Amino acid sequence: MRIAFFDTKEYDIPAFTRLGEEAGIEFKFFETRLGEDTAELARGYDGVCLFVNDVLSAPVAEKLYAAGVRVAALRCAGYNNVDLAACFGKLHVVRVPAYSPYAVAEHTMALLLTSVRRIHKAYNRTREFNFSLSGLTGFDLHGKTVGIVGTGKIGRVFADICRGFGMHVLGFDPYPAEGAGIEYVSEDELLARSDILSLHCPLTEENFHFLNADTLAKCKTGVVILNTSRGALIDAEALVESIKARKVGAACLDVYEEESDLFFRDFSGHIVEDDTLARLISMPNVIVTSHQAFLTGEALENIAETTVKNLTAFAAGAPLENELCYQCGRVEECRKSRRERCF
Ligand code: NAI
């Protein structure tokens, strides 16, 4: 089996090469991202392997199908970059639903602690032998209320971590997790009561700009916003305005709405054109990491392992446990629940 691997980073290659060889899968690593202009590179391959900023839109699905590709393996959990309806009947879409919820949840806590204890400021100061404590006053997390939007795998691990710090955990999720020790409340109550708000839901059409000028206005003054989920859950311009108005006390962002042109690349010698991102990065109470919450050795190994398993099952004509289609979750009796392929 031959797979065209798009948006390759050096950290992808070792595990995929090793596990691929063991399974008889040859990966061809392309640095470029998948899109309309690059889909033709996959001609002659059985499948494509994609990451968060590759685009599998309707025209790309058409081109891949015409080029003989029959499977698209996402090496990530989120799939907002895939037009599932357009793929249906042409490409089987498989993903890695979980690889390390700990990696993402722990990064979220790392961001929160860095922000509230001003570690990023202290680190820069002590490197220059500036041992002043002026402006470094933080606050205790113990006794604070954290609101978690989306209490799935990652949200629940983050809830556990927060409880370990003595925080009170509120949740908002259309499918509450019973017995998870989370107090479920309405969206408005979550916004009104949370000292810290953390987003852990997938990006969908319904929750695009979940945090916007209106919802940010409903938050507590001084709220700390954490987003390690997907950038477009937050209207970044509204966030800038809320920080300038001192409504939002701090923001920690591992994802950004317009990240696809910037993240994962080195722009240190360039003038960045995105004024909203530049403004956010210039603010002392904003921390940005470039979609790295998943990046642990354990997660990379699990991602490669599940992706290779998904592709091996596809090649064997077996049921695809991690297949996605546009009907998933929308029809009562889906084919996948009967252990059949989606089409
Ligand atoms: P999951 O599927 O286990 O949980 C998602 C939860 O969100 C579910 O309980 C679902 O009911 C809930 N949900 C859906 N729509 C909602 C809405 N409108 N409001 C509130 N809750 C809603 O997913 P998991 O594994 O916990 O991942 C969550 C998200 O984290 C992924 O969709 C992905 O976007 C993001 N992610 C980010 C990574 C990073 O490196 N920054 C890495 C992995 C995932």
Side-chain angles (χ1 to χ4, degrees):
M1 200 184 193
R2 297 179 70 232
I3 302 294
F5 194 105
F6 286 88
D7 202 11
T8 308
K9 304 287 173 301
E10 36 78 27
Y11 56 72
D12 290 316
I13 298 173
F16 274 96
T17 305
R18 177 170 43 78
L19 294 171
E21 276 169 9
E22 284 168 22
I25 298 171
E26 182 198 330
F27 289 105
K28 169 74 180 169
F29 295 104
F30 293 106
E31 264 184 46
T32 186
R33 289 183 181 158
L34 178 65
E36 282 189 57
D37 296 340
T38 56
E40 194 53 32
L41 286 169
R43 182 169 292 280
Y45 288 86
D46 303 293
V48 290
C49 185
L50 322 179
F51 197 48
V52 291
N53 289 318
D54 291 302
V55 176
L56 182 36
S57 58
V60 175
E62 280 296 337
K63 286 190 174 183
L64 291 176
Y65 185 69
V69 171
R70 294 293 178 266
V71 61
L74 301 174
R75 52 182 192 280
C76 53
Y79 47 89
N80 50 289
N81 50 338
V82 178
D83 186 332
L84 290 175
C87 292
F88 194 77
K90 297 189 179 77
L91 302 171
H92 289 276
V93 179
V94 287
R95 66 166 178 154
V96 183
Y99 40 87
S100 175
Y102 311 105
V104 183
E106 288 170 16
H107 188 79
T108 311
M109 182 47 89
L111 287 173
L112 177 59
L113 284 171
T114 304
S115 174
V116 301
R117 302 310 303 271
R118 324 296 292 149
I119 305 293
H120 54 309
K121 296 284 163 197
Y123 176 76
N124 284 335
R125 278 190 197 179
T126 55
R127 282 174 67 81
E128 296 195 350
F129 301 98
N130 173 357
F131 301 114
S132 154
L133 296 184
S134 161
L136 297 186
T137 308
F139 63 80
D140 290 6
L141 291 179
H142 183 91
K144 295 296 183 301
T145 298
V146 58
I148 300 183
V149 181
T151 57
K153 291 177 285 296
I154 295 169
R156 286 204 300 276
V157 175
F158 187 60
D160 289 345
I161 294 173
C162 290
R163 268 197 304 275
F165 276 77
M167 300 166 81
H168 181 68
V169 180
L170 300 179
F172 169 66
D173 193 308
Y175 302 98
E178 301 303 332
I182 295 168
E183 180 191 348
Y184 283 96
V185 293
S186 67
E187 178 185 322
D188 278 357
E189 191 176 342
L190 184 107
L191 297 175
R193 286 177 57 193
S194 299
D195 301 300
I196 294 140
L197 204 54
S198 198
L199 306 183
H200 297 288
C201 57
L203 173 65
T204 62
E205 273 171 29
E206 294 76 43
N207 64 18
F208 175 79
H209 284 181
F210 174 82
L211 287 182
N212 53 46
D214 290 341
T215 49
L216 286 166
K218 293 178 185 171
C219 291
K220 262 188 168 178
T221 297
V223 64
V224 178
I225 308 280
L226 308 171
N227 188 7
T228 56
S229 199
R230 283 294 179 267
L233 290 168
I234 300 181
D235 176 345
E237 283 176 25
L239 178 64
V240 168
E241 291 310 315
S242 303
I243 297 171
K244 281 165 68 182
R246 315 292 193 271
K247 177 75 181 174
V248 169
C252 303
L253 311 172
D254 185 52
V255 285
Y256 173 65
E257 197 173 354
E258 303 299 332
E259 72 179 48
S260 63
D261 291 337
L262 295 164
F263 281 17
F264 307 118
R265 298 177 193 180
D266 181 1
F267 284 95
S268 54
H270 299 253
I271 307 287
V272 167
E273 300 284 338
D274 186 325
D275 289 348
T276 306
L277 181 63
R279 187 78 176 97
L280 283 168
I281 287 176
S282 76
M283 290 167 153
N285 51 354
V286 174
I287 299 176
V288 174
T289 52
S290 43
H291 208 136
Q292 77 172 73
F294 73 99
L295 195 58
T296 65
E298 291 84 348
L300 290 176
E301 188 69 21
N302 292 340
I303 288 170
E305 202 176 291
T306 305
T307 305
V308 166
K309 268 191 199 152
N310 287 340
L311 290 169
T312 308
F314 173 79
L320 300 172
E321 192 190 339
N322 296 320
E323 184 169 17
L324 292 167
C325 79
Y326 75 105
Q327 292 174 323
C328 286
R330 294 183 192 208
V331 288
E332 275 292 298
E333 248 303 286
C334 80
R335 291 169 64 103
K336 207 166 70 179
S337 67
R338 300 199 305 262
R339 303 213 20 93
E340 289 175 28
R341 291 184 171 195
C342 289
F343 61 89

